[in-house]
Amino acid sequence: MRVALVHDYLNQYGGAERVLEALHELYPEAPVFTSIYDPGAMPAHYRAWDIRTSWMQRLPGWRRLFRAYLPLYPATFARLDLRGYDLVLSSSSAFAKGVTPPPGVAHICYCHTPMRFAWRTDAYLEREGIGALSGLLEPVLALLRRWDVASSRRVDVFVANSREVAGRISRLYGREAAVVPPPVDLPPFEERPPQEFYLAGGRLIPYKRLDLAVRAFSALGLPLKVFGDGRDRAALEAIGGPSVEFLGFVSEERRRELFAACRAFIFPGEEDFGITPLEAMAAGRPVIAYAAGGALDTVLEGETGRFFHEQSAAALAAAVTASLQDSYDPRAIRRHAEGFGREVFLERMRAVVEAQGAVRP
């Protein structure tokens, strides 16, 4: 079966790109069609892939101005030449789902979320630190929303990464979606007693709401280690008390050590899915999470952690205090995380493809 993989852009590395890597593992001979590709921003092993960029790769200053070229992406993906393939498999949070498959060719879209900047514009602009431009962009956004809904009809099967995203697909596109959580790397597990510190971290940017963790643990006087870096770091350090330690960027090995050693991982933001809670659970550690988004799919109350239901420092502090009486089985937490492993993801995606068939009926 000849498969074409399609991805929005390859100029930054995150959860969507990890999903693409797993899809490429499923179909290692498949070319990857994308709008732009910056080899310097991506892992070195991508250079061995068959990556086919669009004409946008020749635009001036595309590395810096790729957002400014926003109106050009819909037509670029719609005009990709996908003749000669039996299956189109897109990985999309924006434009890749808008490809036009040849007649008779099935299109399966793994949707990380419907286009954030079109449907949740203010939250997206805050997340990316772009500024309050939604009013100026509204005419373009209105066109993008219409295109986004219309292009969803070019998809035969939607696959969502969480129930939260499946709900958005249903509300915005009027389509059902299978839920296949993204793959989580599962390092070898060795049960060990936890140390006294708690852990939080990732990209230190406002929407992650790490300010809640810093304020809660400063008030409680309990030790919190925060890994990662980002534009919010200085503000977080300014509100942190002596019990909060900022580690900055840490290696993957050090990150795994921190997961394994912490008393619990703190996850105060709302994510479409959220990989880091499962990375902590893969090490056998419980998670204290805000009860929203993808965390509702991954954290089992009383078994792998606990929730707090108001996104405030006080509610988080109360949950941490209550958790001091909790007791968890690290091996049971690890077994739960194994249900989200890479092989499970690959099996589920194979089943989606097999259920659809290589071509449309």
Side-chain angles (χ1 to χ4, degrees):
M1 180 171 62
R2 294 164 299 177
V3 177
L5 298 175
V6 187
H7 192 70
D8 295 317
Y9 9 66
L10 292 172
N11 62 344
Q12 55 188 353
Y13 188 72
E17 288 67 42
R18 293 179 184 179
V19 169
L20 178 65
E21 290 172 346
L23 297 176
H24 191 267
E25 180 179 338
L26 199 59
Y27 300 106
E29 302 303 318
V32 178
F33 292 85
T34 190
S35 55
I36 54 175
Y37 168 45
D38 183 356
M42 306 305 294
H45 63 264
Y46 279 54
R47 297 171 196 176
W49 294 7
D50 180 2
I51 296 176
R52 305 184 187 184
T53 57
S54 74
W55 69 277
M56 293 182 68
Q57 189 81 5
R58 299 189 296 274
L59 288 169
W62 58 265
R63 285 181 174 85
R64 181 172 51 88
L65 300 173
F66 72 97
R67 290 190 184 94
Y69 291 128
L70 180 71
L72 304 178
Y73 289 97
T76 296
F77 278 94
R79 293 171 185 167
L80 286 179
D81 185 358
L82 300 174
R83 289 174 294 180
Y85 297 98
D86 304 305
L87 170 68
V88 174
L89 184 51
S90 62
S91 160
S92 182
S93 60
F95 304 104
K97 78 165 194 354
V99 296
T100 306
V105 175
H107 177 193
I108 298 172
C109 174
Y110 189 96
C111 184
H112 307 281
T113 183
M115 200 182 292
R116 273 191 199 90
F117 44 84
W119 300 105
R120 309 176 83 194
T121 306
D122 290 339
Y124 174 81
L125 294 175
E126 179 184 3
R127 168 181 175 152
E128 298 299 322
I130 297 172
L133 300 174
S134 56
L136 298 174
L137 292 174
E138 186 53 40
V140 174
L141 293 172
L143 290 172
L144 276 177
R145 293 184 196 110
R146 287 197 289 272
W147 175 87
D148 195 36
V149 173
S151 65
S152 70
R153 302 182 190 117
R154 302 174 195 166
V155 176
D156 294 291
V157 176
F158 273 105
V159 181
N161 60 3
S162 66
R163 288 180 294 169
E164 171 71 20
V165 169
R168 291 178 202 163
I169 291 169
S170 176
R171 291 192 300 273
L172 297 174
Y173 302 154
R175 301 287 301 279
E176 296 301 310
V179 176
V180 178
V184 178
D185 290 329
L186 299 170
F189 174 68
E190 178 184 351
E191 186 175 355
R192 65 179 76 173
Q195 298 178 24
E196 287 304 308
F197 73 89
Y198 294 77
L199 184 67
R203 292 171 64 199
L204 305 189
I205 52 180
Y207 92 96
K208 297 282 189 178
R209 296 311 312 269
L210 290 167
D211 60 301
L212 302 183
V214 171
R215 292 184 188 280
F217 280 86
S218 297
L220 292 169
L222 292 173
L224 174 71
K225 295 181 185 292
V226 181
F227 67 85
D229 215 337
R231 66 177 187 273
D232 217 21
R233 180 170 176 176
L236 293 172
E237 289 180 335
I239 62 173
S243 67
V244 180
E245 179 184 4
F246 291 86
L247 305 177
F249 172 81
V250 297
S251 68
E252 189 63 24
E253 181 180 2
R254 175 61 174 149
R255 213 162 69 99
R256 289 175 177 175
E257 290 174 355
L258 290 166
F259 282 131
C262 71
R263 180 161 184 164
F265 183 72
I266 310 301
F267 192 65
E270 179 179 353
E271 298 271 8
D272 298 331
F273 181 73
I275 292 287
T276 47
L278 280 166
E279 292 178 317
M281 286 185 267
R285 307 314 311 148
V287 175
I288 300 174
Y290 175 52
L296 297 173
D297 288 0
T298 59
V299 179
L300 301 179
E301 183 97 60
E303 297 180 37
T304 69
R306 66 162 56 232
F307 291 116
F308 62 101
H309 296 271
E310 177 187 301
Q311 206 170 26
S312 68
L316 172 54
V320 171
T321 301
S323 76
L324 295 174
Q325 306 302 317
D326 290 348
S327 177
Y328 297 99
D329 179 352
R331 293 188 178 276
I333 295 175
R334 166 69 182 209
R335 286 194 296 272
H336 173 67
E338 288 172 352
F340 297 84
R342 193 177 192 86
E343 287 304 317
V344 174
F345 172 84
L346 295 176
E347 289 173 10
R348 290 175 175 172
M349 287 305 299
R350 283 192 197 99
V352 170
V353 172
E354 290 170 5
Q356 173 62 16
V359 296
R360 294 175 179 170

